[in-house]
Amino acid sequence: MSPDSHRSTACHFLDGLVEAGIEHLFCNLGTDHVSLIEAMALFAREGRPQPKVVLCPHENVAIHMAGGYAAVTGRGQGVLVHVDAGTANAAMGMHNLFRSRWPVLLMAGKSPFTLRGELPGSRDNYVHFVQDPFDIGSLVRPYVKWEYTLPSGVVAKEVLRRAHSVMQSDPPGPVFLTLPRETLAQEWPSAQVASFPAERFGPVQAGGLSAGAAREVAQALLQANKPVAIASYLGRKPQAVAALEALAMECGVRVHEFMPTAMSVSRDSPCFGGFDPAKALAGADLCLLLDTDVPWLPKFTRADAGTRFIHIDIDPLKQDFPMWGFASDLRLQADCAQALADVLQAVRELADASFTERVRERTAAWPSERAQRLAAIADAGAQPGGSGAIAPAFVAAAINRAIAPQDIVVNEAIRNSPAVLQQVMRTQPGTLIGCSGGGLGYSGGMALGAKLALPDRRVVQVVGDGGFHFSTPTSVYAVAQRYGLPILTVVLDNGGWQAVQEAVLRVYPEGEAAASRQFQAQFSGEVRRFDQVAQAFGAHGEYVTQPLQLQASLARCIAAVDAGQAAVLHVKIAAL
């Protein structure tokens, strides 16, 4: 393309996406995208590079595919949706990605602003009048780091570089860009549309600790008698897992996880203490809070008065939480991978033989404690339950036996998450994905995104029946079939929303709802076959009501996945 040739803003926009490093566009397109669709066809004919388009029948899958891709790669992708309707459908996913600190560039078209054919792209359809809200950005504004409307094709590449730099800068997160139809149709000489390289306009990454801060944390560890750590999303960076394990072993720090969205410490590590923050805090004189939003539930767990807290986090202020409420004696904003390495170096410079001996003494009981914990887990996993009421731990234990250490588990079991976390023993960084947000229905799209990013890895989605409903499953398995993304889905079906029932019982344990067992959370029907939903879109399906059926059905599902076919295993667990 010569420097003086005129191309549409849409063409310059596609070039800008490539320059910004966007590899995929997860799309649900509409009338607002005509110029982009035309540009895509032109680029295909000319053999010009452009992001790969993944068509998603529902925006819930599109936004969560981008989340899954970012969770395993750290690289934010583009999601292209239709005006306000598509933005509204993507809003819940934006909440999930925002709370989970995963980068994504959500782009929505805008209804044309000209009504009578004044410019190319002017209104020519009924919906252009009704899909033009006063403030489209308000649909996702609580969940974005940045929002903008593309004003002209002249700045297309600069706007995209800015969007990409903001979403990838620490802490990463979603950004939102709207694209007026007339603006996309405008034509500009290539020489007028400048590029903005990442070397000069790219994202800003958090670093480690100052020498003084690292030394202060090290001194606290050297003086502690029972140091513990609580983490939730530290494992989003694999190198942070290695740094935490090295520091914990050197200093005798027992590491616990609470509501983890990533594996922050190997379940095989001697320093791993489980998922109970109350057990972690009991008797602790020093607690490191490491990349965690909610380290415990204050209503049920109280720290000892003498415990000192040091909080190291990519976002220690929790600036987007209107209320937070966890005190700390030292709060440090840093990348935990580098920060913990800095602390370890300071510890090694300051430690003496007496410290090494104290660490040896307090870790001497770790093997027996670990053996007891694993024995309890094994005992729970061996209890099968009954007909139509298979025990969730039994199912999770079967999954653990059937999958490999490098397989990725996307956990949306919600109230049965403890069974999944305890039984499915993740030992490698990046093999557990959860979600910090409160929007259910994320795991299907996220599993697809992870599989797209890492096609050689097996991806297992564990989801409750409520989450399966929310996930827009027909869209999930349509995408799995079209793009050859075989994922394994295990549905733990207890007939409704256990979280709702438990919430009622916590507030009204002896109330009317408890007495009558009327929690407005149960589903009933003559036929409930989630496996058949997936089968309608080419997936393999299995339905299990008896414990003795589980192993063989799971094996057939895994064989199907390994052969390139998505699979759904619908398991009837104990009803509400």
Side-chain angles (χ1 to χ4, degrees), residues 549-571:
Q549 299 173 332
L550 180 62
Q551 183 175 345
S553 291
L554 181 57
R556 288 191 293 269
C557 286
I558 289 178
V561 168
D562 290 347
Q565 181 185 21
V568 171
L569 176 61
H570 177 181
V571 184

Side-chain angles (χ1 to χ4, degrees), residues 169-171 204-208 236-237 313-314 333-336 338:
S169 292
D170 283 328
V204 176
Q205 306 301 328
R236 67 191 180 92
K237 287 191 173 182
D313 202 313
I314 196 65
Q333 184 168 16
D335 171 40
C336 272
Q338 184 59 53

Side-chain angles (χ1 to χ4, degrees), residues 448 451-452 455 476-487 561 564-566:
L448 291 172
K451 184 66 177 177
L452 179 67
V476 168
Y477 300 104
V479 171
Q481 179 176 233
R482 174 167 181 175
Y483 295 102
L485 300 172
I487 60 173
V561 168
Q565 181 185 21

Side-chain angles (χ1 to χ4, degrees), residues 57-143:
H58 195 281
E59 294 84 355
N60 182 60
V61 172
I63 193 72
H64 286 119
M65 281 191 75
Y69 196 99
V72 299
T73 66
R75 301 192 301 273
Q77 303 300 304
V79 176
L80 192 59
V81 300
H82 177 45
V83 292
D84 59 339
T87 303
N89 278 345
M92 185 270 285
M94 289 287 278
H95 155 82
N96 283 338
L97 270 63
F98 182 70
R99 287 299 184 209
S100 300
R101 299 176 184 84
W102 292 320
V104 67
L105 169 56
L106 178 66
M107 296 165 284
K110 292 191 72 174
S111 286
F113 51 80
T114 55
L115 278 63
R116 300 173 180 86
E118 298 93 334
L119 293 172
S122 185
R123 294 186 183 185
D124 57 15
N125 193 296
Y126 165 82
V127 297
H128 293 157
F129 289 85
V130 300
Q131 292 177 333
D132 187 20
F134 288 112
D135 186 5
I136 186 174
S138 66
L139 295 170
V140 293
R141 189 166 296 128
Y143 315 127

Side-chain angles (χ1 to χ4, degrees), residues 232-567:
S232 297
Y233 58 90
L234 173 143
R236 67 191 180 92
K237 287 191 173 182
Q239 56 269 40
V241 178
L244 174 56
E245 291 181 355
L247 181 67
M249 293 303 297
E250 186 97 4
C251 298
V253 179
R254 205 72 151 129
V255 180
H256 299 252
E257 294 183 9
F258 184 61
M259 302 295 290
T261 58
M263 188 207 78
S264 295
V265 60
S266 171
R267 310 308 182 228
D268 279 347
S269 173
C271 64
F272 178 61
F275 304 97
D276 184 357
K279 183 176 181 181
L281 292 173
D285 57 348
L286 175 66
C287 180
L288 303 180
L289 302 178
L290 305 173
D291 278 346
T292 180
D293 288 330
V294 182
W296 62 84
L297 298 178
K299 182 175 180 178
F300 305 109
T301 300
R302 303 291 174 88
D304 292 350
T307 305
R308 183 185 184 193
F309 289 94
I310 297 177
H311 191 177
I312 306 174
D313 202 313
I314 196 65
D315 179 22
L317 182 60
K318 311 303 175 188
Q319 57 189 344
D320 297 301
F321 288 54
M323 294 291 288
W324 192 56
F326 294 90
S328 56
D329 299 283
L330 178 63
R331 193 173 298 177
L332 301 167
Q333 184 168 16
D335 171 40
C336 272
Q338 184 59 53
L340 297 182
D342 295 339
V343 173
L344 179 58
Q345 180 179 345
V347 166
R348 288 173 173 169
E349 293 171 354
L350 296 170
D352 57 18
S354 65
F355 172 72
T356 303
E357 177 60 22
R358 285 191 293 116
V359 169
R360 188 194 66 77
E361 290 175 355
R362 69 169 167 253
T363 60
W366 282 6
S368 62
E369 293 173 3
R370 181 174 184 272
Q372 293 175 14
R373 182 171 56 81
L374 291 179
I377 291 172
D379 182 64
Q383 306 303 314
S387 176
I390 303 174
F394 185 77
V395 180
I399 295 171
N400 184 62
R401 292 191 297 271
I403 66 175
Q406 68 272 19
D407 293 345
I408 297 170
V409 175
V410 184
N411 179 25
E412 195 180 3
I414 309 303
R415 303 314 300 170
N416 288 306
S417 277
V420 174
L421 293 172
Q422 291 169 359
Q423 298 290 338
V424 185
M425 305 286 283
R426 301 292 79 200
T427 59
Q428 296 186 12
T431 58
L432 174 68
I433 302 175
C435 176
S436 297
L440 297 186
Y442 58 82
S443 58
M446 291 192 64
L448 291 172
K451 184 66 177 177
L452 179 67
L454 302 174
D456 295 332
R457 304 278 287 277
R458 190 187 289 145
V459 180
V460 182
Q461 169 201 7
V462 185
V463 62
D465 55 314
F468 189 86
H469 279 298
F470 288 138
S471 72
T472 58
T474 58
S475 182
V476 168
Y477 300 104
V479 171
Q481 179 176 233
R482 174 167 181 175
Y483 295 102
L485 300 172
I487 60 173
L488 169 60
T489 301
V490 180
V491 184
L492 303 178
D493 176 16
N494 60 11
W497 287 295
Q498 184 177 345
V500 175
Q501 175 177 311
E502 291 183 354
V504 174
L505 291 173
R506 285 196 299 270
V507 179
Y508 300 104
E510 299 178 1
E512 295 291 336
S516 62
R517 304 297 296 174
Q518 295 295 316
F519 298 103
Q520 309 302 326
Q522 295 92 353
F523 284 108
S524 61
E526 293 182 7
V527 179
R528 282 172 56 82
R529 293 292 298 272
F530 300 119
D531 56 314
Q532 293 179 356
V533 175
Q535 286 174 335
F537 292 88
H540 176 81
E542 298 270 348
Y543 179 55
V544 175
T545 61
Q546 305 296 327
L548 291 178
Q549 299 173 332
L550 180 62
Q551 183 175 345
S553 291
L554 181 57
R556 288 191 293 269
C557 286
I558 289 178
V561 168
D562 290 347
Q565 181 185 21

Side-chain angles (χ1 to χ4, degrees), residues 109-234:
K110 292 191 72 174
S111 286
F113 51 80
T114 55
L115 278 63
R116 300 173 180 86
E118 298 93 334
L119 293 172
S122 185
R123 294 186 183 185
D124 57 15
N125 193 296
Y126 165 82
V127 297
H128 293 157
F129 289 85
V130 300
Q131 292 177 333
D132 187 20
F134 288 112
D135 186 5
I136 186 174
S138 66
L139 295 170
V140 293
R141 189 166 296 128
Y143 315 127
V144 299
K145 296 177 63 181
W146 173 94
E147 65 169 296
Y148 198 59
T149 295
L150 181 66
S152 168
V154 170
V155 294
K157 294 182 180 180
E158 184 171 13
V159 167
L160 284 168
R161 173 57 65 191
R162 177 63 176 164
H164 187 269
S165 294
V166 172
M167 78 172 180
Q168 292 288 160
S169 292
D170 283 328
V175 296
F176 182 54
L177 177 63
T178 53
L179 310 170
R181 198 164 92 145
E182 293 93 335
T183 303
L184 289 173
Q186 288 175 319
E187 292 191 349
W188 300 92
S190 299
Q192 281 191 256
V193 185
S195 295
F196 293 82
E199 291 77 13
R200 302 191 70 188
F201 299 91
V204 176
Q205 306 301 328
L209 300 177
S210 67
R215 191 178 182 88
E216 183 174 357
V217 178
Q219 289 281 14
L221 286 167
L222 291 171
Q223 295 165 8
N225 293 314
K226 187 185 177 184
V228 298
I230 300 175
S232 297
Y233 58 90
L234 173 143

